[in-house]
Amino acid sequence: MDTAEEGRIYKCLFTGSVSSLLTLPLDMLSTDNLLADCLQGCFVVTCTLCAFISLVWLREQIVHGGAPIWLEHAAPPFNAAGHHHNEAPAGGNGAENVAPDQPANPPAENAVVGENPDAQDDQAEEEEEDNEEEEDAGGEDAADANNGAQDDMNWNALEWDRAAEELTWERMLGLDGSLVFLEHVFWVVSLNTLFILVFAFCPYHIGHFSLVGLGFEEHVQASHFEGLITTIVGYILLAITLIICHGLATLVKFHRSRRLLGVCYIVVKVSLLVVVEIGVFPLICGWWLDICSLEMFDATLKDRELSFQSAPGTTMFLHWLVGMVYVFYFASFILLLREVLRPGVLWFLRNLNDPDFNPVQEMIHLPIYRHLRRFILSVIVFGSIVLLMLWLPIRIIKSLLPNFLPYNVMLYSDAPVSELSLELLLLQVVLPALLEQGHTRQWLKGLVRAWTVTAGYLLDLHSYLLGDQEENENSANQQVNNNQHARNNNAIPVVGEGLHAAHQAILQQGGPVGFQPYRRPLNFPLRIFLLIVFMCITLLIASLICLTLPVFAGRWLMSFWTGTAKIHELYTAACGLYVCWLTIRAVTVLVAWMPQGRRVIFQKVKEWSLMIMKTLIVAVLLAGVVPLLLGLLFELVIVAPLRVPLDQTPLFYPWQDWALGVLHAKIIAAITLMGPQWWLKTVIEQVYANGIRNIDLHYIIRKLAAPVISVLLLSLCVPYVIASGVVPLLGVTAEMQNLVHRRIYPFLLMVVVLMGILSFQVRQFKRLYEHIKNDKYLVGQRLVNYERKSGKQGTSPPPAQSSQE
């Protein structure tokens, strides 16, 4: 009921009418729409709890990481920022990590473009001068600010521990017989209402009144996200108001008010930046990817507008998801580049492997215009890459191969396969199977290294891109000697390196860290420009190959099976990707085996042929039969009773049932591996541990495939035998036979689930009984050595001497 009340209070506050406010007490006692109000209340309570935890965590970040300079005027001249500023290298080539005046790392992965080191040095010097002036002018203000920060740190941990011990689940749920439960309910409802009022109601109405006053109300209503946009506008206006009030409080020297307004502004600022970095930027990337790929699917902007009008929430979520995937893989590729290139080449990109990476600290300390500049530059960089690797290749393909595009992604209404099942199959099975292979990453890393070496020697930039090999070897030998010396001296770090350098060395697996010197050739800017041009041409060619080769190979292979019929491109792309991967894998294996001789090659081929045959048998059982039976069982138990009326005959499509069964099997396997220890988890872990090279066909069939297939076959056959063989013998009517035949599967599932719940409750009550009995009557426990009895029983065991606990 607590969640239902929260949902009704939330609706009352945002209805905007006086009548809803007057009838709120009666609405809270009403039973109408109870389930919907409970679900909405659960969502509201969850959001409130997450926001409260975020506020507490943000407070810890401010306390431990330090407040901004403009908030803490009492900061000494020699602080963390100044210390980093003094240690920073003077040149711009070595700015691998955060800029000198930055206390932490980037706010998110999309902040890719670095800052100008010279401008940062000037700005840091200006900030130091301002700090010195403020220190001379505002001594009292500084002392008060320090006292306020010290008060925040003065909390008694013992009182919190004592309160946590008193607050048990029995007291919270009212199972101890006291009425404290009602008090907890009252406080939870009151605090949630206050939280909604402060953090949702006020910003929403501030934004609403502002938009109405400016005349933008119709445009906001046309966006289908009126509440979200209005709330964000309200928060923006609230942030502007807070910073203005903070300035006024500084002028009139209201020290506590100034600090409170500053902290509130930091909270609003960080919240807005998180929304921009995690929500807005991936959404922009997703829409830009969609716009640039319209010709690939023979779509227009009008089609996208119609889909947005029909389902705005789903459309925005899908575009946000595509943008997040794009940003993630871009960041992963940057991490791979850092493993290949010389440290210092990518000084303008943020290092996400830095152990000091803390985006929240940058959101707290850096001004808004810095974040806005990074955001704009990141949008330009990501958008340019999409143009280069998606829009331009599509135009070239349409001009060179007019009949190749568009991709066939349309399904007819009578198609036996749903588009959702295919997309889930591609995202959950095909792509993870390719991306989780360590060989794929190694191949990509090898290609990047080969391209880098080629470009380095062609443009005489080998020293700039990869560093000097002799210096790398010398530094590596020196690092080994230093590590050996450190181990001989009980791992005492070398003076001057510090813990940070040690942690970096551990993370980089002993590799070089930071900036490495390089040889600067003649006409260096021209060579860098040619390197960028060469890189763009390479990316364009790689994109052309990725867009054409897998689909062309998949279409050619599928044509032997389906003829001239049009097939969804998810089939052809997946088939082409697997064929290309297997071809490259076979070529690399043969190249690795060639130096070993013909006899070794024949022996390896024999071993691999046997392993492939075992793998095919296991794949047919575990990836073919089990998912098909599981998908068919799910169709009979869940889908058919919900979608097909009793007077109609359900139709089953084996391919669709198999595709959904693969997803169900993967989910069940993941839940099993995360759950408690039992025989199925033990068998799956053993199969994973053996791998493909050491595959044990007899063990898999005997311990995994046979039991699972037997259970699934019994689950399918026993209800069918009862409905089709036993029920007609009882002489019931045809309608009753049809009812039993259609509803026996969900009925038996409900019986099994009910029996499982009852058995679980019985075990829980037994444990509770044992716990209460031991708590009431148990005096102590004694550990007795086990001795095997031999011959006659000599003496009786000694009496138990319990030790008082």
Side-chain angles (χ1 to χ4, degrees):
M1 292 298 293
D2 185 18
T3 55
E5 293 172 0
E6 292 296 333
R8 288 165 181 172
I9 292 173
Y10 182 83
K11 288 193 295 184
C12 171
L13 290 176
F14 286 90
T15 301
S17 62
V18 181
S19 60
S20 62
L21 193 62
L22 295 177
T23 58
L24 178 61
L26 297 178
D27 293 336
M28 294 179 65
L29 300 177
S30 176
T31 58
D32 297 336
N33 300 325
L34 185 61
L35 180 60
D37 292 338
C38 285
L39 294 177
Q40 186 178 12
C42 287
F43 179 74
V44 171
V45 171
T46 303
C47 293
T48 303
L49 183 61
C50 293
F52 180 74
I53 294 174
S54 302
L55 286 175
V56 174
W57 181 69
L58 182 59
R59 175 192 175 277
E60 294 297 323
Q61 291 289 325
I62 296 174
V63 170
H64 295 290
I69 297 176
W70 55 268
L71 184 61
E72 293 290 351
H73 289 286
F78 185 76
N79 52 16
H83 183 64
H84 288 302
H85 170 69
N86 294 332
E87 292 183 354
N93 295 327
E96 170 74 10
N97 294 326
V98 186
D101 62 331
Q102 297 174 2
N105 273 323
E109 294 175 353
N110 61 330
V112 297
V113 183
E115 313 294 342
N116 188 0
D118 299 333
Q120 291 169 357
D121 293 340
D122 298 338
Q123 183 179 356
E125 293 175 0
E126 293 176 0
E127 288 179 355
E128 285 187 358
E129 294 175 359
D130 295 340
N131 291 342
E132 293 176 359
E133 294 176 359
E134 290 171 355
E135 183 184 4
D136 296 337
E140 297 179 358
D141 189 7
D144 191 30
N146 278 335
N147 291 333
Q150 192 67 27
D151 292 338
D152 292 337
M153 296 295 294
N154 290 334
W155 58 279
N156 192 353
L158 296 178
E159 295 180 359
W160 286 88
D161 294 339
R162 190 179 301 112
E165 291 177 359
E166 294 177 356
L167 190 61
T168 60
W169 284 107
E170 288 80 4
R171 293 181 65 85
M172 290 182 63
L173 299 178
L175 300 179
D176 59 345
S178 64
L179 297 179
V180 182
F181 170 69
L182 298 178
E183 181 182 353
H184 291 161
V185 171
F186 172 76
W187 278 110
V188 167
V189 173
S190 302
L191 292 177
N192 284 334
T193 305
L194 181 62
F195 206 90
I196 295 170
L197 188 67
V198 173
F199 290 96
F201 179 80
C202 294
Y204 173 80
H205 283 82
I206 290 173
H208 177 71
F209 294 145
S210 303
L211 291 174
V212 171
L214 296 175
F216 294 142
E217 186 179 8
E218 296 181 357
H219 301 284
V220 174
Q221 290 179 354
S223 66
H224 298 279
F225 295 96
E226 178 186 2
L228 180 62
I229 295 177
T230 304
T231 306
I232 292 176
V233 171
Y235 270 107
I236 294 174
L237 295 175
L238 189 62
I240 296 174
T241 306
L242 286 173
I243 198 63
I244 293 175
C245 294
H246 177 269
L248 294 177
T250 305
L251 290 177
V252 298
K253 295 186 178 181
F254 288 168
H255 306 309
R256 294 189 178 275
S257 300
R258 177 187 60 80
R259 180 176 176 80
L260 178 61
L261 292 171
V263 172
C264 293
Y265 168 73
I266 291 175
V267 171
V268 177
K269 170 189 170 183
V270 172
S271 303
L272 291 175
L273 288 176
V274 168
V275 170
V276 170
E277 299 288 350
I278 299 180
V280 177
F281 183 79
L283 193 61
I284 293 175
C285 292
W287 275 106
W288 185 239
L289 282 167
D290 191 9
I291 292 172
C292 292
S293 62
L294 287 176
E295 295 184 355
M296 188 166 61
F297 304 108
D298 196 18
T300 60
L301 288 175
K302 188 67 176 178
D303 298 332
R304 296 294 182 260
E305 183 181 357
L306 292 176
S307 64
F308 176 75
Q309 296 291 338
S310 60
T314 304
T315 304
M316 297 295 282
F317 173 75
L318 291 177
H319 285 83
W320 175 83
L321 184 62
V322 171
M324 283 295 292
V325 171
Y326 169 57
V327 172
F328 170 76
Y329 281 110
F330 184 87
S332 301
F333 184 71
I334 295 300
L335 293 178
L336 188 141
L337 286 179
R338 289 188 182 277
E339 298 179 5
V340 176
L341 298 178
R342 175 187 62 85
V345 175
L346 301 177
W347 59 270
F348 53 90
L349 297 179
R350 297 299 170 182
N351 188 6
L352 302 181
N353 273 339
D354 192 350
D356 296 331
F357 177 73
N358 194 345
V360 178
Q361 288 296 326
E362 277 206 350
M363 292 182 184
I364 292 173
H365 288 82
L366 296 185
I368 286 293
Y369 75 90
R370 295 280 295 277
H371 293 288
L372 184 61
R373 184 173 64 182
R374 287 183 182 178
F375 179 78
I376 294 174
L377 291 176
S378 300
V379 169
I380 293 173
V381 171
F382 279 78
S384 303
I385 293 174
V386 171
L387 282 176
L388 179 65
M389 299 190 66
L390 192 61
W391 181 80
L392 188 57
I394 290 173
R395 302 296 299 176
I396 295 175
I397 292 173
K398 287 184 72 68
S399 60
L400 297 180
L401 302 172
N403 297 326
F404 185 79
L405 293 177
Y407 289 161
N408 181 32
V409 293
M410 300 298 295
L411 287 174
Y412 301 100
S413 59
D414 57 348
V417 182
S418 67
E419 185 177 358
L420 179 62
S421 63
L422 286 175
E423 291 177 353
L424 290 176
L425 190 64
L426 179 68
L427 293 176
Q428 294 292 329
V429 179
V430 177
L431 287 181
L434 292 176
L435 298 176
E436 289 177 1
Q437 296 290 335
H439 303 290
T440 307
R441 191 176 187 277
Q442 294 299 324
W443 294 342
L444 183 59
K445 186 176 179 180
L447 289 175
V448 171
R449 183 178 294 277
W451 182 91
T452 307
V453 171
T454 304
Y457 280 111
L458 288 177
L459 299 174
D460 195 18
L461 293 174
H462 185 272
S463 176
Y464 174 74
L465 294 175
L466 296 174
D468 296 329
Q469 289 290 81
E470 296 179 357
E471 294 181 4
N472 288 341
E473 292 176 359
N474 294 334
S475 62
N477 294 332
Q478 185 179 2
Q479 181 71 23
V480 170
N481 295 332
N482 290 337
N483 291 338
Q484 185 67 30
H485 179 70
R487 284 193 295 267
N488 294 335
N489 292 278
N490 296 327
I492 299 176
V494 181
V495 178
E497 289 184 358
L499 275 179
H500 179 70
H503 290 177
Q504 282 277 31
I506 292 173
L507 287 176
Q508 298 292 337
Q509 297 179 355
V513 179
F515 172 75
Q516 279 188 3
Y518 64 94
R519 181 179 57 83
R520 189 184 183 96
L522 297 176
N523 300 321
F524 185 69
L526 178 61
R527 296 177 188 273
I528 294 297
F529 176 75
L530 294 177
L531 178 67
I532 295 174
V533 173
F534 187 34
M535 180 187 65
C536 293
I537 295 173
T538 306
L539 291 177
L540 180 61
I541 295 174
S543 180
L544 286 171
I545 294 174
C546 293
L547 289 176
T548 55
L549 183 60
V551 176
F552 179 78
R555 288 178 180 177
W556 180 69
L557 291 173
M558 286 290 183
S559 63
F560 294 103
W561 182 20
T562 59
T564 58
K566 288 187 176 182
I567 307 173
H568 200 283
E569 296 299 343
L570 287 175
Y571 285 109
T572 59
C575 181
L577 281 174
Y578 271 112
V579 169
C580 294
W581 181 81
L582 289 175
T583 304
I584 298 173
R585 178 65 177 152
V587 171
T588 54
V589 169
L590 288 177
V591 170
W593 288 349
M594 287 296 290
Q596 300 179 11
R598 184 180 302 175
R599 181 178 301 176
V600 177
I601 292 178
F602 286 147
Q603 183 67 24
K604 293 286 187 180
V605 169
K606 182 180 178 181
E607 294 177 0
W608 276 72
S609 300
L610 182 61
M611 186 186 67
I612 290 174
M613 291 181 62
K614 292 182 179 180
T615 306
L616 288 177
I617 296 174
V618 172
V620 169
L621 292 175
L622 299 184
V625 178
V626 172
L628 179 62
L629 296 178
L630 192 60
L632 185 59
L633 183 63
F634 183 79
E635 184 85 12
L636 290 170
V637 173
I638 304 296
V639 179
L642 294 177
R643 297 181 59 181
V644 184
L646 290 175
D647 56 349
Q648 296 181 6
T649 303
L651 298 178
F652 302 102
Y653 300 104
W655 173 253
Q656 182 177 352
D657 294 337
W658 174 81
L660 294 177
V662 170
L663 303 180
H664 298 152
K666 188 173 181 180
I667 294 172
I668 291 173
I671 295 175
T672 302
L673 292 175
M674 291 186 298
Q677 195 71 30
W678 59 307
W679 70 268
L680 184 59
K681 181 180 179 180
T682 304
V683 172
I684 294 177
E685 289 178 346
Q686 183 63 39
V687 172
Y688 273 123
N690 292 337
I692 297 179
R693 293 180 180 271
N694 301 321
I695 188 170
D696 190 352
L697 183 61
H698 182 264
Y699 179 82
I700 293 176
I701 293 178
R702 185 169 53 90
K703 293 291 186 178
L704 182 61
V708 172
I709 293 175
S710 301
V711 171
L712 291 175
L713 285 176
L714 288 176
S715 302
L716 289 170
C717 297
V718 170
Y720 182 79
V721 170
I722 294 174
S724 302
V726 178
V727 173
L729 298 178
L730 300 178
V732 297
T733 61
E735 290 80 5
M736 180 58 67
Q737 292 183 18
N738 184 35
L739 178 63
V740 172
H741 190 272
R742 295 289 302 278
R743 295 293 184 260
I744 189 171
Y745 286 98
F747 173 75
L748 291 180
L749 174 66
M750 185 173 61
V751 170
V752 171
V753 171
L754 185 60
M755 291 176 61
I757 293 175
L758 289 178
S759 63
F760 175 76
Q761 293 297 329
V762 168
R763 289 197 303 270
Q764 291 298 109
F765 275 109
K766 285 183 179 180
R767 290 179 58 186
L768 180 62
Y769 170 76
E770 292 292 334
H771 177 71
I772 295 174
K773 183 180 71 174
N774 294 334
D775 191 26
K776 194 80 174 176
Y777 301 107
L778 182 63
V779 178
Q781 294 179 348
R782 181 182 179 184
L783 181 62
V784 180
N785 294 331
Y786 173 75
E787 297 179 358
R788 187 180 299 274
K789 298 179 180 179
S790 59
K792 300 180 180 180
Q793 292 183 353
T795 58
S796 60
Q801 297 178 1
S802 301
S803 58
Q804 187 71 26
E805 290 184 342

